[in-house]
Structure formats: structure tokens, C-alpha cells
Amino acid sequence: QVHLVEFGGGLVQPGGSLRLSCAGNGFAFDEYGMRWYRQAPGKEREEVAFITPAGTFTSYADSVKTRFTISRRNAEGAVDLQMNNLNPSDTAVYYCNVNLQGTDYWGQGTQVTVSS
């Protein structure tokens, strides 16, 4: 059974940093690309970052490029999102995602709130 769980959300001040982690099980973690998405109140869910199975290629939404870094720890079955220089527009629920043979699987989401 595919299972994804996010960790690390919380309240942070503008300009601060957070590191999110996602633990995956029930599939061959090192054979699949992983993605982070986020959904802000009243907005559509958007893809934030992508990483290939071996971590050799990454991509980011323009809104987070240069500020966020996605990485993975295949031995631990985990993918991380380092978020720096956060601003209030980064406030959202962040979700870990994997697509297995055309089917999307999601974690439960973790809330990130950027506020003074």
C-alpha cells in the first residue's frame, strides 16, 4: 500500500526558513520521481518542485526558484524541501506526491504559515 507522510510544517516569520520532509513507503522509492505541491487558501494546487529518481535533475515553479531546494534520501525513502527566504505568499498546505503508473498518490499535507 502506497503511503506518503509529510513533516516539518509550522509557523515562520517572513524571511525565515523551513525544511519539509516526506517519507514514502509501499513502492520502490528510488525508481520514481517525486514532487512537492502546495495549495494556498482560495487557490488551485500548484506544483512547487520536482526531482528525478536519482536526484540528478530538479525543477521548480518560478515563484520559488532560487529560494526552495528539493532533494531526496533514497536510502531512507524520503524527499525534502528546503524553503528559504519565505514570504507570506508561501503560506499554503504542502503536499508530497508520487505518480505510479499514471496514478497520483498524495500525503496528508502539512501547513506552512508565513506571518509576522
Side-chain angles (χ1 to χ4, degrees), residues 8-78:
L11 176 65
V12 64
Q13 294 183 351
S17 298
L18 281 176
R19 184 187 296 273
L20 307 182
S21 296
C22 170
N25 60 64
F27 64 101
F29 189 88
D30 61 356
E31 295 181 1
Y32 294 91
M34 300 294 296
R35 288 176 166 86
W36 283 98
Y37 283 75
R38 68 184 183 186
Q39 187 165 24
K43 295 186 177 180
E44 298 294 312
R45 188 172 298 189
E46 65 171 342
E47 182 178 321
V48 173
F50 166 76
I51 187 166
T52 52
T56 53
F57 174 81
T58 59
S59 64
Y60 302 90
D62 287 342
S63 58
V64 308
K65 196 171 299 179
T66 76
R67 299 188 298 119
F68 289 13
T69 302
I70 188 171
S71 60
R72 63 193 300 158
R73 297 172 280 120
N74 284 343
E76 299 93 74

